[in-house]
Amino acid sequence: MGTPDFAVPVLEKLSGNFKIAGVITQPDRPSGRGRKLIPSAVKVSAESLNLELLQPGKVNSKSTLEKINNWNPDLIAVAAFGQILSPKLLALPKYGCLNVHASLLPRWRGASPINAAILNGDLNSGVTIMKMAEGLDDGPILAQESTPVQPGETAGSLSERLSSMGADLLVKTIPPFISGEILSTEQDHSKSTYAHLLKRKDGLLDFHQKAGDLARQVRAFSPWPGTYTTWNDLRLIIHQAHAISVTSPGAGVFTRYESNPAIGTGDGILVLDYLQLAGKRKVLGKDFLHGTSLWPQVH
């Protein structure tokens, strides 16, 4: 069970090492201006592997449970699926359900652990293989692997690394788990933190914050939901930025720094390396300034 790009290496690695009874992913979703239905990354992968596929709107419905039961799975592997599994479903496979979670649990339970790790300046991130329980990401831990968060790393690049790590760790963990060689470890629930589901509006930058925090937000929300502000009544998307510790001209004040557009913050300035005005293409900050006379000079 999985849906986005993060889950594809997990499916591919599993299919190369085990017999896959079937794949479950989210229904196709409308996307873009034409609201065309787009299949999930996992659906595309499953079809290329000629695997049987289900796309239930409700995975816990009676008809879906019957179909899964007919597959008679020994184990269900879950990676960024996007629906809560009922106790009935969790108990259906002989060996239960294992989840590949993109954090070092109990830190960053919830829907956006990779974004949360970067946003909060964590030095390390990682993956956890967990036996799923009824609560949210609170099941016993079977295996973990950590990796440093690189300077300048975005949620996109960290997600790519963690998905590959998670796929390898899951495939290594399954055989000793099935044979009873691995003892699970209960999470320390007192140390749990929660990463809420991100929405597009979360990308609006608040320039009263420190420049360093805003630079992390830009990286944490890249590629989605993205970060933005408003300039001349138009949405200005900020794809890449860095913080500079100089005196701020004031929170939200547009300025320049070494031929680049910049914005004052609560502490320091945020220099805009790559940006995109609504309806235009993504450009280097320097090139953006060459194309407009409206951006203010240095204050």
Side-chain angles (χ1 to χ4, degrees):
M1 295 184 180
T3 299
D5 291 327
F6 178 85
V8 170
V10 178
L11 173 58
E12 291 174 346
K13 200 85 180 179
L14 285 171
S15 70
N17 289 271
F18 303 97
K19 183 167 182 264
I20 305 291
V23 176
I24 300 180
T25 190
Q26 295 270 46
D28 296 1
R29 303 285 191 213
S31 181
R33 286 179 185 172
R35 308 307 288 159
K36 184 183 168 192
L37 285 177
I38 304 294
S40 75
V42 163
K43 178 180 181 177
V44 173
S45 177
E47 288 180 339
S48 73
L49 294 165
N50 293 315
L51 296 170
E52 196 170 337
L53 183 73
L54 285 180
Q55 292 181 275
K58 293 182 179 176
V59 74
N60 301 305
S61 68
K62 190 180 176 187
S63 61
T64 304
L65 288 177
E66 282 172 3
K67 286 174 184 171
I68 298 170
N69 200 41
N70 290 338
W71 283 345
N72 193 27
D74 293 306
L75 181 74
I76 293 177
V78 183
F81 173 49
Q83 294 186 40
I84 302 291
L85 276 54
S86 67
K88 206 170 187 178
L89 178 48
L90 290 172
L92 193 150
K94 183 178 178 183
Y95 295 101
C97 303
L98 298 190
N99 179 233
V100 181
H101 187 78
S103 81
L104 299 171
L105 290 170
R107 187 162 178 80
W108 304 130
R109 295 173 180 174
S112 311
I114 296 171
N115 314 85
I118 294 175
L119 186 64
N120 287 272
D122 291 5
L123 298 178
N124 293 292
S125 181
V127 287
T128 300
I129 309 300
M130 173 193 76
K131 176 97 186 280
M132 293 177 73
E134 288 181 37
L136 181 69
D137 300 327
D138 66 355
I141 293 168
L142 299 175
Q144 281 188 325
E145 193 172 321
S146 70
T147 182
V149 177
Q150 303 296 335
E153 189 148 47
T154 65
S157 61
L158 181 55
S159 178
E160 228 171 84
R161 292 202 297 121
L162 294 183
S163 66
S164 179
M165 278 174 58
D168 289 341
L169 188 59
L170 178 64
V171 166
K172 275 192 280 188
T173 302
I174 288 173
F177 167 67
I178 297 294
S179 65
E181 293 168 52
I182 287 184
L183 291 176
S184 61
T185 308
E186 283 299 316
Q187 293 187 38
D188 183 347
H189 302 298
S190 69
K191 292 183 178 173
S192 71
T193 55
Y194 180 71
H196 70 86
L197 181 68
L198 292 173
K199 297 184 171 67
R200 196 171 288 280
K201 65 177 183 181
D202 294 326
L204 178 62
L205 295 173
D206 174 6
F207 289 99
H208 290 91
Q209 293 186 41
K210 295 178 180 178
D213 294 344
L214 292 168
R216 280 206 308 269
Q217 186 179 349
V218 172
R219 292 191 289 109
F221 290 7
S222 171
W224 200 90
T227 48
Y228 65 94
T229 187
T230 302
W231 179 67
N232 282 359
D233 295 325
L234 292 171
R235 178 176 287 220
L236 185 68
I237 301 165
I238 298 164
H239 290 285
Q240 189 179 316
H242 66 279
I244 297 288
S245 296
V246 296
T247 304
S248 170
V253 174
F254 295 91
T255 183
R256 299 176 186 226
Y257 182 81
E258 294 182 353
S259 305
N260 278 297
I263 303 176
T265 75
D267 183 3
I269 62 169
L270 188 70
V271 181
L272 314 183
D273 302 312
Y274 279 92
L275 63 166
Q276 182 177 3
L277 202 55
K280 305 286 186 180
R281 61 189 179 86
K282 174 182 172 182
V283 293
L284 274 166
K286 289 177 182 177
D287 294 341
F288 177 81
L289 287 186
H290 291 151
T292 180
S293 59
L294 300 176
W295 193 274
Q297 297 297 326
V298 178
H299 280 71

